[in-house]
Amino acid sequence: MVTDNDKGLVLAVASSVFVGSSFILKKKGLKRAAADGTPAGFGGYTYLLEPLWWVGLLTMAFGEIANFVAYVYAPAVLVTPLGDLSIIISAVLAHFLLNEKLRKMGVWGCVCCIVGSVMIVTHAPQEHTPNSVDEIWKLAMQPAFLIYVATSMSIVLALILYCEPLCGQINILVYTGICSSMGSFTVMSIKAVGIAIKLTLGINQIWYRETWFFLSWLLLYALDTFNAAIVSPIYYVMFTTLTIVASAIMFKDWYGQNTESIASEICGFITVLTGTVILHATREEEETSSGTLRWQESGKSFNEEHLVSLYSTEY
């Protein structure tokens, strides 16, 4: 029998495949466009006329949709870390399709991510789907989650009002801290809206004011002024950690699990993070030695304007 976790797992992996492949498709599209006109890294827009670039864009859109639906069926502790597989897929495809050598440390990074993902999948808790939006709202109003929200918002305000004017331009932790904290709330809203849509197929949840609250929060964050391309493994580590913590508190992902399973999931998570840091460190080392433009990535986001820097270096 296919469980909700199985559906979420398939969707999360499919999302990584689509997103990882989209990087390669768009890279090839950018290269083709650069051969016919001004490169995107120097202000050119000929890539907009390249069909392959649009195929890559659509592929990424499919990946993001699959990721959205995955949160409906599986807990964040399973879905969020699996997003890192897109980096592995893009690295492997770049090795074979773009002749970008996957170096030894890059291979070790991939292995760490795969081993960690297997550990997480093996010990992931079963999804406990609420029966109504009203029930989701009650989960959001429980004291433990409200304390988490109050603490996180206090830290965000301190970072915005005090730290940002002083060292926001020189300390990456300021912006990554803000985006990671707010991003964890957004994932909770994504999950809530997704569950509301799923439940609406049976009993209409659309007119609940709670549904519109979660949707409004999701749209508000999507339209904020923070740069979506803030990069570094630091962002991935902070965002993933805070998302898992927020989901564990609000949706009680680990409720009913034994200590051994939780410890295995945490070990798997740390292993995935280690692999991510190794992959990023290898890429940054190559960029420094080859003198290419700086490439920035945040989980699944990247800067379209930097043609040479998008997976242009060897891993």
Side-chain angles (χ1 to χ4, degrees):
M1 179 179 179
V2 179
T3 65
D4 281 352
N5 267 30
D6 294 332
K7 296 176 183 178
L9 171 61
V10 171
L11 287 166
V13 173
S15 171
S16 293
V17 171
F18 280 125
V19 173
S21 301
S22 73
F23 287 141
I24 305 304
L25 292 171
K26 298 180 86 170
K27 170 69 179 295
K28 290 181 73 69
L30 288 170
K31 279 190 170 183
R32 287 184 182 180
D36 298 329
T38 305
F42 297 94
Y45 295 97
T46 54
Y47 65 90
L48 294 176
L49 301 176
E50 176 55 51
L52 194 58
W53 184 87
W54 285 103
V55 171
L57 185 65
L58 289 175
T59 303
M60 175 171 282
F62 286 132
E64 296 298 345
I65 292 172
N67 188 61
F68 172 84
V69 181
Y71 278 110
V72 177
Y73 290 101
V77 69
L78 173 62
V79 177
T80 307
L82 290 180
D84 192 49
L85 294 178
S86 62
I87 300 177
I88 298 176
I89 291 167
S90 58
V92 172
L93 289 178
H95 177 79
F96 290 104
L97 300 180
L98 299 177
N99 296 319
E100 295 176 2
K101 184 180 178 182
L102 185 62
R103 307 186 74 186
K104 186 176 294 186
M105 286 300 294
V107 173
W108 278 112
C110 292
V111 170
C112 286
C113 290
I114 293 173
V115 171
S117 297
V118 171
M119 293 176 66
I120 292 172
V121 170
T122 303
H123 297 90
Q126 290 297 317
E127 173 73 346
H128 305 290
T129 305
N131 296 316
S132 68
V133 172
D134 186 56
E135 186 176 338
I136 299 175
W137 183 256
K138 290 179 181 178
L139 291 174
M141 291 295 104
Q142 60 186 319
F145 187 70
L146 290 177
I147 292 173
Y148 172 80
V149 171
T151 302
S152 297
M153 293 303 295
S154 298
I155 293 174
V156 168
L157 288 175
L159 289 173
I160 293 175
L161 299 177
Y162 180 74
C163 298
E164 196 280 332
L166 293 177
C167 55
Q169 301 302 317
I170 59 176
N171 192 332
I172 193 173
L173 291 177
V174 175
Y175 286 110
T176 53
I178 295 170
C179 292
S180 298
S181 298
M182 301 299 286
S184 67
F185 298 142
T186 303
V187 171
M188 298 304 99
S189 295
I190 287 174
K191 190 173 182 68
V193 171
I195 292 175
I197 294 173
K198 178 184 176 183
L199 293 173
T200 297
L201 298 177
I203 301 174
N204 195 346
Q205 308 286 316
I206 256 333
W207 302 116
Y208 280 78
R209 63 179 181 276
E210 292 86 356
T211 300
W212 289 98
F213 173 83
F214 289 121
L215 183 60
S216 298
W217 178 272
L218 176 60
L219 294 176
L220 176 65
Y221 185 78
L223 296 174
D224 67 16
T225 57
F226 294 118
N227 183 2
I230 292 178
V231 186
S232 74
I234 296 175
Y235 174 82
Y236 177 80
V237 171
M238 294 178 66
F239 169 74
T240 307
T241 301
L242 292 176
T243 297
I244 289 175
V245 170
S247 183
I249 295 174
M250 179 175 173
F251 291 100
K252 304 183 184 299
D253 289 339
W254 286 332
Y255 182 78
Q257 279 201 297
N258 56 44
T259 305
E260 181 182 350
S261 294
I262 295 175
S264 297
E265 290 167 34
I266 294 175
C267 289
F269 175 54
I270 293 174
T271 305
V272 170
L273 294 184
T274 301
T276 303
V277 172
I278 291 175
L279 279 170
H280 278 279
T282 304
R283 184 179 297 121
E284 288 174 1
E285 179 183 346
E286 284 298 313
E287 287 174 351
T288 301
S289 63
S290 62
T292 58
L293 294 175
R294 184 184 180 190
W295 176 63
Q296 295 187 317
E297 180 185 44
S298 169
K300 297 179 180 177
S301 302
F302 68 103
N303 192 336
E304 289 292 346
E305 296 179 357
H306 298 299
L307 166 65
V308 190
S309 56
L310 182 58
Y311 285 97
S312 60
T313 57
E314 296 178 348
Y315 292 85

